[in-house]
Amino acid sequence: MGQESFIYSFVARGTMILAEYTEFTGNFPSIAAQCLQKLPSSSNSKFTYNCDHHTFNFLVEDGYAYCVVAKDSLSKQISIAFLERVKADFKKRYGGGKASTAIAKSLNKEFGPVMKEHMNYIVDHAEEIEKLIKVKAQVSEVKSIMLENIDKAIDRGENLTVLTDKTENLRSQAQEYKKQGTQVRRKLWYQNMKIKLVVLGILLLLVLIIWISVCHGFNCTD
Amino acid sequence: MAPKNSSWNPFDDEKEAAKSFSLNPFDDDDDDKEVEKRFTSSLKPSGGKENQTVQELESYAVYNSEETTKTVQGCLKVAEEIRCDASKTLVMLNEQGDQITRTHQKTVDLDHHLSRGEKILGRLGGVFSRTWKPKKSRSITGPVITKGDSPKRKVIDLKTREKLGLNPSLKPKSKTLPEAVDAYQKTQIAKQDEALTDLSALLGELKNMAVDMGTAIERQTNELDHLQDNADELNYRVKQSNQRARYLLRK
């Protein structure tokens, strides 16, 4: 990766550029300035615009915009890593209030070389940075999957609670069923016994009647 | 690890500074906190890194690189612990899945027994009474067997993983340190790179495990929905059977 990967960089407060740095000549500062005008300043976010094999990367935070123009062969993550470094350094140097009162391009002399340093550092350590970015991305991916899993597990927990209530209800119903089944069985057993006894009684009565009619009384001796 | 000369001045010439600041970057026995205190106290008041001697800056660089290596290896250790916990969680989820399936199967058995009970209850009630038939709102289905890998597939013991070359065990730290700071830095960077590569591989594995967990939980949630419907149906039918039994008892 050559030294020409980063073309131009600036830091702006709102739409006012406070510091910029470039080693090249071209119309990219004006295009970047146009993009800056269109940026929604209220939100803290990252934007990337593509134009003529170049990417215009913006990082907007707390009313300050950090921009870098890079060749589109350079990955977006590397550009964002550069902007994050510039942002951290800028806040560290001018966080006390100097940046809020600075006029247009007044920090060029001070902060321009710093941006150059960061550009060189990022280009020299692109491989390591990409590796770190990859690991970070993997971590956030695993984290997001696990957060989804937590939501799913909570839903599952709720389902289990509902199921527990339903099975508890079923258990009490089943116990009632068992109790009533036993009672029905007992009742039917008594009914059955009653019928058997009645039939037995009738049979005994018939035998007795036959006995009496045959023997003309209880004395049955010829 | 405080400097021998208490009135140490960062603006002294290098020889003097070297005398007063006798820190060996390759000493393993030094207390980290003391070292850190020494570096921070020597760097901050004297106007930053610009005013430090080459030896001091080298020592500071060595200290920082060691700290970074430790941090990265710490991350790796944490990731391995997470992997271990994730394996246990997957096993547990699998067991719970089996329990849910068994419970589901039990509802089918219950349905079978209840049907027999309903038939018997239907036949009872006297010679001239109409045969009682229970109302069924829906049929009870057994456990849903879904295609897809079992979460068990991810839970391979670590020895097997090492045999397969999936989990290369961390090489023991080499105690022999190179003489030149530059060479030492390079070994530190190599260690960090290796640890980062391992960490990346571990994170890939953790992602797969997390996806498996999600799949298992989803599958179980679906099965629990079916199970709830079955429980509702059984509840309804047992209630009906109870009413029938009460009617028979009142007769």
Side-chain angles (χ1 to χ4, degrees):
Chain A
M1 211 176 285
Q3 202 70 355
E4 318 88 48
S5 301
F6 289 118
I7 310 294
Y8 169 68
S9 179
F10 72 71
V11 179
R13 185 182 68 243
T15 55
M16 186 198 287
I17 294 170
L18 304 176
E20 62 180 350
Y21 173 78
T22 184
E23 285 178 352
F24 303 89
T25 51
N27 64 341
F28 40 83
S30 59
I31 296 169
Q34 280 172 38
C35 292
L36 180 64
Q37 303 296 324
K38 292 172 188 172
L39 282 183
S41 55
S42 56
S43 63
N44 287 4
S45 49
K46 295 160 190 161
F47 303 93
T48 302
Y49 302 104
N50 279 56
C51 177
D52 192 30
H53 304 298
H54 288 83
T55 57
F56 290 73
N57 302 280
F58 288 88
L59 173 65
V60 182
E61 199 173 290
D62 305 327
Y64 289 90
Y66 307 87
C67 168
V68 67
V69 180
K71 288 196 171 175
D72 62 1
S73 57
L74 194 75
S75 73
K76 187 189 168 185
Q77 288 103 315
I78 294 287
S79 299
I80 296 297
F82 166 76
L83 292 176
E84 291 285 356
R85 279 181 75 89
V86 169
K87 180 193 80 178
D89 205 335
F90 187 80
K91 277 188 173 178
K92 195 173 156 189
R93 284 166 190 263
Y94 308 112
K98 193 177 176 183
S100 56
T101 55
I103 57 164
K105 297 184 184 178
S106 61
L107 303 176
N108 269 9
K109 202 173 270 185
E110 271 180 66
F111 203 66
V114 174
M115 286 197 277
K116 181 189 178 178
E117 244 176 75
H118 285 307
M119 280 181 184
N120 291 338
Y121 178 86
I122 294 285
V123 168
D124 292 344
H125 299 85
E127 207 177 310
E128 294 99 304
I129 289 164
E130 273 187 327
K131 200 176 262 188
L132 276 170
I133 287 166
K134 186 195 169 191
V135 169
K136 273 185 183 175
Q138 281 180 302
V139 169
S140 56
E141 192 181 9
V142 171
K143 185 185 162 189
S144 67
I145 294 169
M146 281 312 292
L147 284 170
E148 268 179 51
N149 287 354
I150 289 165
D151 289 339
K152 285 177 191 172
I154 289 166
D155 289 344
R156 175 175 168 272
E158 284 168 5
N159 273 10
L160 280 167
T161 310
V162 173
L163 184 65
T164 307
D165 294 341
K166 284 179 181 177
T167 47
E168 195 57 48
N169 194 7
L170 181 61
R171 192 177 70 94
S172 60
Q173 289 283 346
Q175 276 182 330
E176 181 72 16
Y177 182 61
K178 186 186 173 186
K179 199 162 68 181
Q180 285 186 340
T182 310
Q183 285 175 342
V184 167
R185 196 176 70 177
R186 205 171 285 153
K187 186 189 174 185
L188 290 172
W189 185 82
Y190 279 132
Q191 272 183 359
N192 196 22
M193 213 56 184
K194 212 189 289 177
I195 290 162
K196 278 179 184 173
L197 286 169
V198 167
V199 169
L200 190 71
I202 290 166
L203 281 172
L204 282 171
L205 200 66
L206 277 170
V207 168
L208 196 67
I209 289 164
I210 291 163
W211 181 283
I212 289 167
S213 62
V214 168
C215 299
H216 306 289
F218 289 101
N219 193 9
C220 206
T221 49
D222 287 331
Chain B
M1 199 70 227
K4 286 167 190 169
N5 179 4
S6 56
S7 60
W8 176 72
N9 182 356
F11 303 108
D12 284 344
D13 65 0
E14 283 190 32
K15 281 180 188 172
E16 196 61 36
K19 266 185 226 165
S20 62
F21 181 60
S22 59
L23 171 74
N24 180 0
F26 309 121
D27 262 359
D28 274 343
D29 309 322
D30 292 331
D31 182 20
D32 284 350
K33 288 219 172 118
E34 265 187 61
V35 176
E36 192 170 3
K37 212 184 282 175
R38 173 71 191 85
F39 281 129
T40 48
S41 64
S42 67
L43 281 172
K44 279 175 189 166
S46 57
K49 298 178 186 83
E50 290 84 359
N51 302 315
Q52 306 305 310
T53 63
V54 174
Q55 191 193 348
E56 263 211 285
L57 287 171
E58 277 181 355
S59 303
Y60 185 60
V62 166
Y63 167 75
N64 265 343
S65 65
E66 278 176 353
E67 281 300 297
T68 308
T69 307
K70 275 181 197 168
T71 307
V72 176
Q73 283 172 346
C75 289
L76 192 58
K77 211 174 272 180
V78 169
E80 276 173 347
E81 281 168 20
I82 292 170
R83 198 250 313 261
C84 189
D85 289 340
S87 298
K88 285 176 191 169
T89 308
L90 270 174
V91 170
M92 213 183 292
L93 273 172
N94 205 50
E95 283 170 7
Q96 287 171 6
D98 288 346
Q99 283 177 340
I100 291 168
T101 307
R102 282 202 301 274
T103 310
H104 211 154
Q105 195 55 55
K106 280 274 179 274
T107 61
V108 177
D109 297 345
L110 268 172
D111 171 53
H112 178 65
H113 292 307
L114 194 56
S115 297
R116 281 172 63 192
E118 283 167 346
K119 269 182 194 170
I120 293 164
L121 281 171
R123 287 200 208 106
L124 299 172
V127 186
F128 303 108
S129 62
R130 253 187 327 132
T131 312
W132 173 75
K133 272 201 173 173
K135 289 173 191 168
K136 289 185 185 182
S137 58
R138 56 181 288 281
S139 60
I140 282 175
T141 52
V144 186
I145 296 154
T146 51
K147 282 182 184 176
D149 303 317
S150 157
K152 268 184 182 169
R153 72 184 166 88
K154 288 286 167 211
V155 190
I156 312 168
D157 64 314
L158 298 177
K159 280 179 187 172
T160 317
R161 296 198 73 84
E162 273 174 34
K163 278 178 194 170
L164 292 168
L166 292 170
N167 181 40
S169 51
L170 290 170
K171 282 96 184 169
K173 290 176 191 174
S174 55
K175 282 282 167 188
T176 53
L177 293 167
E179 280 140 29
V181 173
D182 190 44
Y184 178 67
Q185 293 285 74
K186 276 176 185 166
T187 59
Q188 287 293 330
I189 288 167
K191 273 185 192 175
Q192 288 165 23
D193 273 354
E194 193 186 331
L196 274 175
T197 307
D198 288 349
L199 184 59
S200 186
L202 254 176
L203 284 166
E205 214 175 307
L206 282 175
K207 182 199 164 184
N208 289 338
M209 283 175 144
V211 168
D212 278 355
M213 276 182 214
T215 311
I217 293 168
E218 238 169 76
R219 194 166 55 230
Q220 287 175 25
T221 307
N222 290 342
E223 204 166 339
L224 284 170
D225 286 337
H226 281 286
L227 199 47
Q228 275 185 36
D229 293 341
N230 286 358
D232 283 335
E233 176 62 16
L234 284 170
N235 242 323
Y236 174 66
R237 279 170 59 190
V238 172
K239 256 181 200 168
Q240 274 190 314
S241 299
N242 277 337
Q243 281 172 349
R244 173 68 179 169
R246 269 197 292 274
Y247 166 75
L248 289 172
L249 284 169
R250 277 201 307 271
K251 263 179 81 177

